[in-house]
Amino acid sequence: MINTTPLIDLMLVLLVMFIVSVPIATHKVPLDLPGAATAPREALVHRIDLDAAGQLYWDGAAIADAALPPRLAQLASDPSNPELHIAAQAETRYERVDETLAAVRRAGVTRMGFVGNERFAEMMD
């Protein structure tokens, strides 16, 4: 009977040598990075505020509920891809915030963030 243990050991050593000897150049990940000449552009930001009474404000100006969907649709179709920030006061009813978020989702806005939650992050530290 032939002892196969040395053959298996030889095979494993050859396998490890083959893996180590593969040129590192074949493990590149091609990336297209911007050049140094491009300056960072300032992102356009719109803001929705909700006060304790549930009143909507678009960039600081009060708007009616019916005026929100057209503005959100315009924001979603803007080719510059602006951001939308939403801030609600602590006393604002959750139902009102939920209605606003549903309108944002229906409009197809994809870049959105919540503003004013910094106090909760400080509480977690």
Side-chain angles (χ1 to χ4, degrees):
M1 180 164 223
I2 299 175
N3 189 1
T4 59
T5 304
L7 294 174
I8 293 173
D9 289 344
L10 178 65
M11 180 191 66
L12 290 175
V13 168
L14 291 174
L15 181 64
V16 168
M17 288 177 60
F18 176 72
I19 290 173
V20 170
S21 66
V22 173
I24 296 175
T26 61
H27 296 289
K28 289 184 187 175
V29 177
L31 294 175
D32 292 328
L33 299 175
T38 59
R41 63 180 179 99
E42 189 173 318
L44 180 61
V45 176
H46 291 285
R47 182 172 170 144
I48 295 176
D49 290 296
L50 288 159
D51 65 6
Q55 174 64 43
L56 283 171
Y57 296 89
W58 181 272
D59 291 336
I63 62 168
D65 290 346
L68 183 62
R71 289 194 187 202
L72 290 171
Q74 181 183 8
L75 178 83
S77 65
D78 190 346
S80 65
N81 201 13
E83 295 179 11
L84 177 65
H85 292 177
I86 298 178
Q89 291 182 352
E91 297 83 19
T92 306
R93 292 183 48 88
Y94 175 76
E95 179 182 8
R96 183 68 174 132
V97 175
D98 185 47
E99 290 170 356
T100 305
L101 292 175
V104 169
R105 180 172 172 90
R106 279 192 300 270
V109 176
T110 56
R111 295 188 67 198
M112 182 190 77
F114 294 98
V115 179
N117 295 322
E118 295 83 13
R119 65 183 181 271
F120 299 116
E122 293 169 3
M123 293 171 61
M124 298 301 283
D125 291 338

